[in-house]
Amino acid sequence: MIDGGVRDRVVIVTGASRGVGRGVALFLAESGATVIGTGRRQEAGNAADRDGAFALVETVVARFGRVDGLVANAQTFRPVMPLADVMPRDMDTLYDTGPKATLWGMQAVFPHMRDQGWGRIVTMGSNAGFHGPAGYGPYSSSKEAVRSLTRTAAREWGPFGIVVNCVCPVSVAHRMEGFADDPSRRAIFETTFSDQPIARDGDAVDDIGPVVAFLLSDGCRYLTGQTLMADGGALLRP
């Protein structure tokens, strides 16, 4: 077991009921952190709603005395579609649960981290924002908005001892279930790993978890506003 450097830290992980969020939450808990996770139903009522995000953080602080870290992972997905077919609902869903929800969570933890002079915020981007795959326009753009918020928060909040970074993870096995009949999405998944240096899917616990844990640790004290590509080298593909 890798030492995550987060022992006794109080960390909120949104979208912790499955996939990357679940893997990260498990790794942090195994590393000794106190983890408060929200699931998909809570995500709709809390993470994507500003008042709900603030209420969640206040509940955490009331129970544990502080909040040290936020992993803003939750985001609802929409079906793959050409840009010409994108409707307002598609954009609203992705932006409400993506960059807007990330911002509300960041705002909610900010005063507590500022007052204690220490805080770690990890957001989640996607290498889709770099590659621009067909059919992923709304999703890719929402993830790039998250990365932009990450850089702005890092610049504004660094003087308070708060570091803010983004992870672009590749760990997609959990998404295959239920999408077997979606040819375009299945084709993207099948070719994702074929020509990258580490030619396999990322494990949410063992591959993504340690990266996020470092960004939540004392060791991450001089790294902020950055994007870490936990993708097996996928960005290096020609």
Side-chain angles (χ1 to χ4, degrees):
M1 178 70 187
I2 299 172
D3 182 0
V6 293
R7 183 166 301 279
D8 298 327
R9 293 295 184 186
V10 178
V11 181
I12 297 171
V13 180
T14 67
S17 62
R18 60 175 297 183
V20 171
R22 182 175 184 272
V24 167
L26 287 171
F27 183 85
L28 296 176
E30 291 170 359
S31 298
T34 297
V35 178
I36 301 89
T38 68
R40 293 181 67 84
R41 291 184 180 178
Q42 290 170 302
E43 165 190 330
N46 284 318
D49 171 71
R50 190 173 189 271
D51 291 340
F54 276 76
L56 171 64
V57 172
E58 291 303 321
T59 298
V60 170
V61 172
R63 179 171 179 181
F64 298 104
R66 67 185 195 278
V67 57
D68 300 309
L70 168 68
V71 181
N73 167 75
Q75 183 168 6
T76 300
F77 199 78
R78 295 292 297 153
V80 174
M81 67 186 71
L83 279 178
D85 296 338
V86 173
M87 299 299 289
R89 179 191 175 198
D90 303 309
M91 297 300 289
D92 290 344
T93 297
L94 285 163
Y95 275 76
D96 285 348
T97 63
K100 289 172 67 175
T102 295
L103 177 57
W104 308 150
M106 292 162 69
Q107 289 178 336
V109 299
F110 168 67
H112 301 283
M113 293 180 175
R114 175 198 60 203
D115 292 348
Q116 67 194 20
W118 197 99
R120 300 290 186 266
I121 298 173
V122 180
T123 64
M124 290 291 174
S126 172
N127 65 13
F130 295 82
H131 295 298
Y136 283 76
Y139 177 75
S140 300
S141 66
S142 72
K143 286 302 192 183
E144 287 296 274
V146 168
R147 291 205 313 125
S148 181
L149 288 170
T150 301
R151 293 190 294 271
T152 300
R155 183 177 296 277
E156 293 186 5
W157 298 348
F160 304 109
I162 303 169
V163 300
V164 190
N165 291 289
C166 181
V167 174
C168 291
V170 169
S171 179
V172 299
H174 66 282
R175 296 182 185 169
M176 290 302 295
E177 184 179 357
F179 289 96
D181 297 325
D182 186 336
S184 61
R185 196 171 185 189
R186 187 173 64 249
I188 290 173
F189 286 170
E190 288 174 351
T191 60
T192 292
F193 315 111
S194 61
D195 57 355
Q196 69 184 39
I198 302 175
R200 62 173 175 81
D201 189 16
D203 184 273
V205 178
D206 295 329
D207 294 322
I208 313 303
V211 176
V212 174
F214 165 70
L215 295 177
L216 294 168
S217 72
D218 278 321
C220 186
R221 55 184 292 174
Y222 202 57
L223 178 73
T224 195
Q226 304 302 308
T227 298
L228 276 68
M229 307 301 295
D231 64 355
L235 195 61
L236 298 175
R237 290 198 302 255

